[in-house]
Amino acid sequence: MPPTLHLLRHAQGYHSTSPEGHSLHDPHLTPHGFAQSATRRDAFPHHDSLELLLASPLRRALQTCQTTFSPAIETRQLKIIALPYAEEASADPCDTGSEIEVLQEEFGHGVDFDHVKHGWTRHEGDFEISPPALAARARKLRAWIRGRDEREIVLVSHGFFNHYITGDVNEKGEQTTGWWREAEWRTFEFVEGDDEGEAGLKETAGSVKRREEEEKAEGGSVEEKERAREKSGGKDKEDGNRKMFQYSPACLRMSLALCDHPRSLDLA
């Protein structure tokens, strides 16, 4: 039986705190990002049943995973496996990782970097950022997770690439569903009878209900809060930045963050 996948977007990183944030190389979580992760940790009810922790090797994803799933790490000594296939879907400096020696020194023995090879930071080959390459990377990642023996798995990835993981993009690479909130958690099952190479995912009914309740409690979805902010007088002030946001995934993340608070890899 295929595993259950708990998929998260990382919490707030420093790249989301200014319009120039996309120029920061592999940023850390902000203090607010650590607080978001702690809040998610306290609300997550499945720590005891987790069997595998996976994360993008970008710092903000690793730090989110370490903080959010610290109960499983501390009580059962689960290690985080860093997977380059889960990195973000752009070549901006903020979405470009650090070399393995740097990461090993920062994160120590709590993270398994066996899948992180020298050169993983170059956006070429499997790590190109064209829509076909991103879709192919997401398929390989899903298929690898589906083939694992563990029954309950966590993956911490990124707001845009999560759309590729869940299949919520069109052929042009345009997302077909709304943005993931910082530290958002959704639960998926693999589609039964689906082609093993596709390894499609379907969000569970319980996850959909929980997500809708969280959005309501937080004042609506990211898009709804953006519209409300514009109506309240922010449209003219942000108009110049919004033109820039249309073209940069990193700047889009910055715009949406304002609403919340005013490479090679062998997977065998």
Side-chain angles (χ1 to χ4, degrees):
M1 181 178 178
T4 295
L5 177 64
H6 300 291
L7 182 61
L8 283 80
R9 181 193 175 193
H10 63 80
Q12 185 195 64
Y14 278 101
H15 64 305
S16 294
T17 61
S18 77
E20 293 78 32
H22 63 285
S23 64
L24 294 175
H25 176 240
D26 194 10
H28 293 268
L29 289 185
T30 64
H32 182 66
F34 279 107
Q36 290 174 320
S37 300
T39 297
R40 179 59 68 199
R41 175 197 64 209
D42 295 343
F44 187 80
H46 305 294
H47 291 293
D48 291 341
S49 57
L50 295 178
E51 297 182 55
L52 183 64
L53 303 179
L54 307 173
S56 157
L58 292 170
R59 288 183 173 111
R60 58 191 183 270
L62 291 172
Q63 290 175 326
T64 298
C65 195
Q66 282 184 324
T67 304
T68 304
F69 302 104
S70 57
I73 294 170
E74 293 170 2
T75 62
R76 293 187 287 121
Q77 289 72 55
L78 289 188
K79 291 186 71 171
I80 299 168
I81 297 178
L83 293 180
Y85 268 30
E87 72 168 354
E88 183 56 300
S90 96
D92 286 319
C94 68
D95 297 326
T96 299
S98 301
E99 289 298 343
I100 182 172
E101 293 85 1
V102 174
L103 295 172
Q104 286 173 328
E105 180 160 350
E106 287 188 23
F107 292 93
H109 299 293
V111 179
D112 180 343
F113 290 105
D114 285 352
H115 292 289
V116 182
K117 311 300 182 184
H118 287 101
W120 81 276
T121 58
R122 296 192 294 270
H123 300 283
E124 53 189 43
D126 282 351
F127 301 98
E128 291 178 7
I129 59 170
S130 66
L134 291 168
R137 171 156 64 92
R139 281 195 299 273
K140 292 177 182 179
L141 178 59
R142 290 195 305 267
W144 184 82
I145 294 173
R146 178 175 176 167
R148 298 289 301 190
D149 292 332
E150 296 86 357
R151 296 301 88 198
E152 199 154 356
I153 297 174
V154 158
L155 172 61
V156 180
S157 188
H158 300 268
F160 191 32
F161 191 61
N162 277 357
H163 287 86
Y164 279 93
I165 294 174
T166 59
D168 293 317
V169 291
N170 61 25
E171 292 182 355
K172 297 180 181 179
E174 300 165 337
Q175 62 190 52
T176 56
T177 57
W179 276 89
W180 287 59
R181 303 186 312 282
E182 292 167 344
E184 182 172 341
W185 155 47
R186 303 181 191 180
T187 301
F188 295 85
E189 303 288 353
F190 284 91
V191 178
E192 291 190 17
D194 194 19
D195 181 273
E196 288 190 5
E198 185 63 31
L201 293 169
K202 181 177 177 59
E203 188 175 6
T204 66
S207 176
V208 172
K209 181 180 179 182
R210 179 185 67 245
R211 176 159 53 85
E212 291 174 346
E213 290 173 348
E214 287 183 356
E215 287 180 354
K216 184 176 180 181
E218 294 177 12
S221 68
V222 172
E223 290 77 15
E224 289 169 339
K225 286 188 280 186
E226 168 70 1
R227 289 193 293 270
R229 188 171 62 86
E230 290 183 357
K231 290 180 180 179
S232 69
K235 186 177 188 303
D236 292 339
K237 182 178 180 180
E238 300 297 334
D239 186 60
N241 282 341
R242 186 168 297 106
K243 291 177 181 178
M244 175 176 64
F245 294 153
Q246 292 174 358
Y247 300 102
S248 168
C251 291
L252 272 168
R253 291 194 295 270
M254 170 58 200
S255 177
L256 297 168
L258 290 172
C259 305
D260 289 331
H261 8 273
R263 196 170 214 344
S264 73
L265 174 65
D266 180 6
L267 287 176

